[in-house]
Amino acid sequence: MAKLRNLMLFLFSCLCIESPYSSCEEIYSLKQGQQMRDEEHLLSENGIFKLGFFNPSYSSDYYLGIWYSKLPKNPESVWVANPNYPIYESSGVLTLDNEGLLKITHNGGQPIVINPNQTVLSNVTATLLDYGNLVLTEVYSNGRAGRVLWQSFDHPTNTLLPGMKLGLNLKTGQSWALNSWLSSQVPAPGAFRLGVDRGSADQLILWQRGDVYWTSGVWSNGGFQMAPDLKRSLDVHEFRFVSNEDEKYFSYNVKNKSTISRWELNSWGQIVQFTLDVDGTTWTNTTTSPCKFNVNYPNAVCIEQNHTECRNGSELLVPKKGYYKETKLKYFHYNSSLALSDCYHSCWNNCSCIAYKNHFDNGTGCEFWNKDANFIGNENFPAIYILELGNNKEGTPTEGGTREDSAGSTKELWWIWCIVAITPGPVILLLGYLCYRRRKLGLLQQDEGETSQDKGLLELRSHIFNKVNDNIKRDRKKGNEVQLFSFPEILAATNHFSFSNKLGEGGFGPVYKGLLQDGQQLAVKRLARDSGQGLKEFMNEITLIAELQHVNLVRLLGCCVHEEEKMLIYEYMPNKSLDSFIFGLL
């Protein structure tokens, strides 16, 4: 019997090692003084939900979250404890301290308190319920559970589970609302927020950056008047809207407890209702959105926007893999709090914008391209959202984004046909001549531009190796000379300016940590393109910084110039600067 038991334990340990999503460190409650480490999980009673640390879309940042135990990364999570405070390494530890506070401790940062302002007069325990709610409960001396002191259902992120509330507590001011993620890697609140109308109307409101983006219509006869899609699954779900002097909220439940369902507010401002199929792995979904999908462009971004002087609603932004050659027609928004939907909004309202994509590797920030930039398709590059003309209501191409009056187009006047018959010859000759002249002029300008740029780089190289380094050699050792780094060398050193290599950002632009092939560490200051600084001003700045070098100052190693890119290369300070020791961390 003992041999059989030992064999079973051995086989179980092998299964734990082989399965990437299993864990032999499962606990079912967290008591005061206990810890849950990165490799451990808090499991609900019947193993439906799991609480633990995860890195969304395999990013380098970690978060404490809840997900379906048998559906790892599908979705990533249904709740996140620390959406605004990522853990930069897999070093997180969850603790329930003696004061009843749930704390995340990690290397290199202050503790993150999940339930601040908590007052506990007795013993408490944290448990995860089978419907996905993490609760902090009083425990009486006889071991019986008391009242719930705190619960994750009161602090939703982007997912509404059965039994959760979407609304307001009119007595305490508690608000229950969904917030879209910034991106698939960043669960911090994004551009969209879903809640109930704070006024007298019993309806849902979707806000985009504080402005009303969509309303459901008033609740009537078990549904919302302007959102019939939300009540399609009446055979599976039960919906309710409560409005009294204490509370005002919407919620739903499943009629069969075996049904697994969730609502998600995605980063494009769409409310998606998911229900798990009987196969246990596939989700069926229904999408509610003020934007109507174009069946001819299923991958196009679908966000409702107002018409502008240059956008009449027929334009679409479609993701395509490739790149643009003309970097001079490119500009950036370095704000890491911008989602792709914010990039879309900016591009839509800028008549010169023809394309955009996220700037940082984690899906935040924006890059834009202006008119006349030429796109080159390549499946090895990430997707860029490119402006295209869509189709009209009949599904036929709409030339130039405009629509003609079909009645007017059928009026055929004889004198129009006469003009049409006479004019093609001269017009074609004139257009041919103009195209020839324009092409010739464009080639000349391109040659002049390339010559000008090459001349500028030669001037910079001469400036560094003659004037700057000659001045340095008079007073310093040869090892202090300023170098001219190549752009591919800097790209390789910074991992293509990866977000995980970013050290910070100032008025000059972002700063990245780099590592050369010989093992030397760098700090790369990337000049913001909207700074207005030209090559001459850049050379003067290099001269000034190089001549001010001192043993107690961070050393300028060199610079890099590539097309519109200008960068200063400094030595990397692993122990931070002197001011952090004198003044402390702010």
Side-chain angles (χ1 to χ4, degrees):
M1 188 69 180
K3 290 183 178 180
L4 178 61
R5 183 179 61 206
N6 291 336
L7 178 61
M8 294 297 292
L9 288 173
F10 173 75
L11 291 174
F12 179 70
S13 63
C14 291
L15 287 173
C16 291
I17 294 171
E18 289 296 324
S19 174
Y21 296 114
S22 64
S23 173
C24 298
E25 302 292 339
E26 308 286 12
I27 57 178
Y28 291 89
S29 65
L30 191 67
K31 298 179 175 60
Q32 285 174 287
Q34 279 189 312
Q35 293 183 338
M36 186 189 78
R37 300 186 179 278
D38 177 75
E39 68 277 3
E40 299 174 325
H41 300 103
L42 179 65
L43 208 63
S44 66
E45 183 178 5
N46 291 309
I48 299 175
F49 286 96
K50 182 181 288 187
L51 172 77
F53 291 96
F54 74 106
N55 54 332
S57 297
Y58 302 101
S59 73
S60 58
D61 295 334
Y62 283 77
Y63 299 87
L64 179 69
I66 298 172
W67 62 89
Y68 295 102
S69 178
K70 298 178 181 179
L71 295 168
K73 288 194 174 292
N74 185 22
E76 295 277 3
S77 71
V78 297
W79 181 77
V80 182
N82 55 318
N84 295 305
Y85 305 100
I87 301 168
Y88 298 107
E89 296 177 354
S90 57
S91 60
V93 177
L94 176 65
T95 305
L96 179 59
D97 68 13
N98 293 328
E99 297 178 355
L101 296 178
L102 287 164
K103 291 182 178 179
I104 301 173
T105 56
H106 57 102
N107 292 340
Q110 296 295 320
I112 302 168
V113 181
I114 300 173
N115 59 331
N117 306 319
Q118 185 72 56
T119 302
V120 173
L121 300 176
S122 59
N123 292 332
V124 294
T125 300
T127 54
L128 181 59
L129 305 182
D130 273 331
Y131 49 90
N133 192 13
L134 176 65
V135 296
L136 192 66
T137 311
E138 278 186 321
V139 179
Y140 298 130
S141 57
N142 59 6
R144 289 178 52 231
R147 61 193 176 99
V148 173
L149 302 175
W150 178 92
Q151 59 181 345
S152 62
F153 269 22
D154 282 338
H155 308 275
T157 48
N158 72 330
T159 303
L160 188 73
L161 295 175
M164 291 180 71
K165 295 178 180 179
L166 201 61
L168 300 165
N169 185 320
L170 302 176
K171 294 291 186 181
T172 64
Q174 173 77 48
S175 174
W176 306 294
L178 301 185
N179 290 282
S180 63
W181 284 21
L182 265 178
S183 73
S184 61
Q185 294 188 31
V186 184
F192 295 95
R193 178 179 175 87
L194 178 67
V196 300
D197 191 339
R198 291 179 173 269
S200 58
D202 293 341
Q203 63 177 351
L204 299 179
I205 295 183
L206 181 61
W207 292 272
Q208 182 182 14
R209 295 298 182 193
D211 296 325
V212 175
Y213 176 67
W214 169 86
T215 59
S216 65
V218 176
W219 175 267
S220 177
N221 298 322
F224 296 104
Q225 293 178 346
M226 297 170 58
D229 290 342
L230 293 181
K231 54 175 287 188
R232 278 186 178 178
S233 54
L234 287 175
D235 57 327
V236 178
H237 300 106
E238 296 175 337
F239 304 99
R240 63 192 300 232
F241 197 103
V242 175
S243 182
N244 54 44
E245 61 181 9
D246 295 326
E247 294 179 306
K248 182 179 181 179
Y249 66 87
F250 166 80
S251 69
Y252 81 99
N253 254 307
V254 291
K255 293 182 178 181
N256 189 330
K257 290 186 178 180
S258 64
T259 301
I260 296 180
S261 172
R262 62 187 172 91
W263 285 22
E264 180 182 312
L265 177 62
N266 67 22
S267 57
W268 298 111
Q270 299 159 354
I271 305 168
V272 188
Q273 297 172 278
F274 290 97
T275 304
L276 192 66
D277 280 349
V278 292
D279 63 6
T281 58
T282 307
W283 294 94
T284 58
N285 66 81
T286 302
T287 300
T288 299
S289 170
C291 174
K292 302 303 179 184
F293 288 92
N294 190 314
V295 294
N296 299 298
Y297 297 87
N299 295 325
V301 177
C302 191
I303 297 179
E304 189 72 13
Q305 293 286 356
N306 295 326
H307 292 188
T308 68
E309 61 181 13
C310 57
R311 314 282 193 215
N312 63 13
S314 65
E315 300 86 357
L316 296 171
L317 283 146
V318 182
K320 292 186 177 181
K321 290 188 175 183
Y323 62 95
Y324 281 96
K325 291 180 63 177
E326 297 84 357
T327 57
K328 63 182 179 181
L329 298 173
K330 184 179 181 182
Y331 61 100
F332 302 83
H333 286 172
Y334 293 108
N335 189 345
S336 59
S337 296
L338 295 177
L340 266 175
S341 58
D342 297 312
C343 306
Y344 174 91
H345 181 75
S346 296
C347 188
W348 180 270
N349 289 284
N350 182 352
C351 294
S352 298
C353 181
I354 61 167
Y356 72 90
K357 76 177 194 70
N358 57 276
H359 177 63
F360 299 113
D361 291 340
N362 66 355
T364 64
C366 303
E367 295 181 12
F368 303 96
W369 284 267
N370 286 331
K371 291 179 179 178
D372 299 327
N374 294 314
F375 178 76
I376 299 175
N378 191 317
E379 289 297 317
N380 296 320
F381 283 76
I384 297 175
Y385 293 84
I386 299 173
L387 185 70
E388 290 193 359
L389 294 179
N391 294 336
N392 59 23
K393 292 182 179 179
E394 288 73 32
T396 56
T398 305
E399 185 177 357
T402 61
R403 301 175 65 183
E404 295 182 353
D405 185 357
S406 59
S409 63
T410 60
K411 296 178 181 179
E412 301 176 0
L413 300 178
W414 67 271
W415 56 271
I416 294 180
W417 287 109
C418 291
I419 295 175
V420 170
I422 294 171
T423 55
V427 170
I428 291 173
L429 291 174
L430 179 61
L431 288 176
Y433 175 74
L434 292 176
C435 290
Y436 168 76
R437 291 287 299 170
R438 183 175 181 181
R439 178 177 177 84
K440 186 174 181 180
L441 181 61
L443 290 173
L444 288 173
Q445 289 177 343
Q446 182 179 352
D447 292 341
E448 289 175 1
E450 292 176 353
T451 303
S452 176
Q453 184 180 17
D454 293 340
K455 183 179 178 181
L457 289 174
L458 289 173
E459 183 181 350
L460 177 62
R461 184 183 297 273
S462 174
H463 180 79
I464 290 174
F465 287 100
N466 294 328
K467 181 177 179 181
V468 176
N469 285 336
D470 283 349
N471 291 342
I472 293 174
K473 286 178 182 178
R474 294 191 188 105
D475 303 310
R476 298 172 177 85
K477 297 183 293 182
K478 184 177 180 181
N480 286 339
E481 294 178 12
V482 176
Q483 304 177 46
L484 185 62
F485 291 85
S486 70
F487 188 64
E489 190 176 11
I490 298 302
L491 277 179
T494 60
N495 192 21
H496 289 259
F497 299 105
S498 169
F499 183 78
S500 60
N501 284 36
K502 187 176 178 181
L503 299 173
E505 186 170 348
F508 187 100
V511 182
Y512 296 87
K513 181 181 177 181
L515 183 67
L516 294 176
Q517 291 184 348
D518 61 3
Q520 183 179 9
Q521 291 182 318
L522 310 170
V524 181
K525 254 187 178 180
R526 194 178 186 185
L527 176 64
R529 299 191 183 201
D530 56 1
S531 66
Q533 190 180 65
L535 190 62
K536 183 177 180 180
E537 292 84 359
F538 184 63
M539 289 191 292
N540 291 337
E541 185 170 352
I542 292 173
T543 303
L544 178 62
I545 297 175
E547 293 180 352
L548 286 176
Q549 294 196 69
H550 187 270
V551 67
N552 293 327
L553 296 176
V554 60
R555 188 160 63 94
L556 177 70
L557 301 178
C559 65
C560 175
V561 175
H562 175 73
E563 296 180 347
E564 299 298 315
E565 293 275 5
K566 302 181 188 71
M567 287 160 278
L568 293 175
I569 316 301
Y570 292 91
E571 65 177 338
Y572 176 70
M573 295 187 296
N575 296 322
K576 303 182 181 179
S577 59
L578 183 61
D579 65 316
S580 64
F581 293 95
I582 297 175
F583 303 108
L585 295 175
L586 297 178

